[in-house]
Amino acid sequence: MNPSMELPGYAHVYSGKVRELYAPIDPSTGATSADQLLLVATDRISAFDFILDSEIPDKGKVLTQLSLWWFEQLTDIIPNHVISTEVPEAVAGRAVLVKRLDMVPVECIGRAYLTGSGLAEYRQSSSVCGVPLPAGLTDGSLLPSPIFTPSTKAPIGEHDQPMTFAEVAAEIGMPVAERVRDLTIAILKRGNEIAADRGILLADTKVEFGFDRSRPDVDGNPSVVLADEVLTPDSSRFWPAAAWQPGRAQDSYDKQFVRDWLTSSVSGWDRSSGDVPPALPDDIVEATRAKYIEAFESLTGQTFA
Ligand code: PZK
């Protein structure tokens, strides 16, 4: 897919690493909508912090359909920003028309298992984002209960910095900080309750919230709405449950073939060189596509059409 393709009736507003944001144009005034956005998931894939030259066919469709399914599984926990899946034919299945929100300026991360930057922080301080943890945890350990480990929203290319809960509260106010913390944990818990039966562990997840000014809550404040995509392999670490073994780096459900090939001698790529990774061979692309479809079908019980 073209990184930011022309979509008649829509103005391109932003390019993410693997997704694109558009705003509908009002046909009578020619103005871009102030209350709607079109979120488009491309087939781009990242690995080792690079956007690869190879795309994974249907990845954007699979992740969009998975996210829509999760939104439905979460409606008793929180309303979401989805307005419609009626979108231009060129982006059918991979785009969603959403309500434009005032985004909460914090990355809301929940962790059920310890790995990645959370593990690094734990090894330094026995805590993550100010949350104290028991001794003896290792890479891949199940945490005693899911924790909220927020971070700053850094511009593209820069790295997010961990925040304490007190820092979040100072930025967005204590009532909203408590609300997004509790929601992040509830979403991750519900996700793992559902995924557990289906061979997938959700190690951690990043969720995005926004305020809906048109929808005041019981106290008259703008209500908090779940935005972006939710519980996809791009927003969450998916681990194959059967291979889970704390004490080592876990296999990635979706990207393991990509990582193994890129770091094998046959790829000719040296991760420490700073060079961009080479294009993926067709069999790695196809095996990776099959993993995204397998995750969708295992979780939803539906066939990916
Ligand atoms: C919003 N992003 C991230 C997503 C990208 C970038 N409902 C909303 N209202 C206002 N803003 C956003 C959303 C949502 N979702 C999301 N940035 C702003 C993002 C997809 C593609 F390029």
Side-chain angles (χ1 to χ4, degrees):
M1 227 191 97
N2 187 316
S4 61
M5 64 187 303
E6 299 273 357
L7 280 180
Y10 295 82
H12 182 255
V13 294
Y14 185 77
S15 289
K17 278 191 269 191
V18 302
R19 293 177 307 153
E20 301 291 338
L21 213 47
Y22 295 78
I25 298 167
D26 185 318
S28 49
T29 66
T32 57
S33 170
D35 46 43
Q36 297 186 358
L37 289 170
L38 186 77
L39 242 150
V40 180
T42 72
D43 292 338
R44 300 197 289 270
I45 184 172
S46 68
F48 302 117
D49 266 339
F50 291 94
I51 305 297
L52 304 184
D53 283 342
S54 308
E55 296 193 334
I56 307 299
D58 294 327
K59 171 174 178 277
K61 286 188 185 176
V62 177
L63 269 55
T64 297
Q65 296 308 306
L66 180 59
S67 183
L68 286 166
W69 181 82
W70 278 122
F71 278 134
E72 284 174 29
Q73 312 307 305
L74 298 168
T75 51
D76 61 317
I77 296 177
I78 180 160
N80 60 67
H81 66 160
V82 175
I83 295 171
S84 172
T85 55
E86 279 188 41
V87 297
E89 182 60 30
V91 290
R94 65 174 68 252
V96 185
L97 192 67
V98 302
K99 203 178 289 189
R100 194 169 198 153
L101 307 169
D102 298 325
M103 300 304 285
V104 172
V106 170
E107 298 282 11
C108 291
I109 297 164
R111 297 176 193 266
Y113 295 80
L114 190 62
T115 193
S117 65
L119 175 67
E121 213 184 316
Y122 169 77
R123 285 176 169 159
Q124 296 284 322
S125 68
S126 298
S127 66
V128 186
C129 298
V131 181
L133 292 174
L137 300 179
T138 184
D139 197 348
S141 286
L142 176 64
L143 294 169
S145 60
I147 58 172
F148 181 57
T149 61
S151 68
T152 59
K153 272 191 189 178
I156 213 161
E158 289 174 45
H159 278 286
D160 297 342
Q161 294 300 320
M163 297 173 83
T164 64
F165 183 71
E167 287 168 335
V168 175
E171 182 133 340
I172 63 180
M174 185 58 81
V176 174
E178 288 177 337
R179 176 110 174 99
V180 297
R181 176 196 63 197
D182 295 350
L183 285 167
T184 301
I185 289 170
I187 290 163
L188 182 55
K189 276 189 177 157
R190 174 68 60 82
N192 268 314
E193 283 164 13
I194 292 172
D197 305 348
R198 297 155 190 183
I200 294 174
L201 304 179
L202 305 174
D204 48 35
T205 192
K206 189 196 85 168
V207 284
E208 298 249 15
F209 299 101
F211 296 107
D212 185 350
R213 280 154 297 151
S214 73
R215 203 169 190 288
D217 70 10
V218 284
D219 305 319
N221 300 310
S223 58
V224 173
V225 172
L226 181 58
D228 210 86
E229 62 177 342
V230 67
L231 299 174
T232 70
D234 278 3
S235 70
S236 316
R237 282 191 178 87
F238 280 37
W239 290 344
W244 177 57
Q245 196 188 317
R248 58 155 175 85
Q250 307 303 301
D251 289 345
S252 164
Y253 191 95
D254 52 312
K255 288 182 181 168
Q256 202 56 44
F257 293 121
V258 173
R259 292 186 185 160
D260 287 350
W261 183 79
L262 284 176
T263 54
S264 76
S265 56
V266 293
S267 80
W269 183 61
D270 176 3
R271 196 183 160 184
S272 64
S273 68
D275 294 349
V276 299
L280 302 173
D282 290 350
D283 61 327
I284 301 296
V285 169
E286 190 42 51
T288 302
R289 177 178 182 274
K291 293 304 288 184
Y292 287 113
I293 292 172
E294 181 186 280
F296 171 85
E297 294 190 338
S298 303
L299 286 167
T300 67
Q302 299 167 22
T303 300
F304 177 71

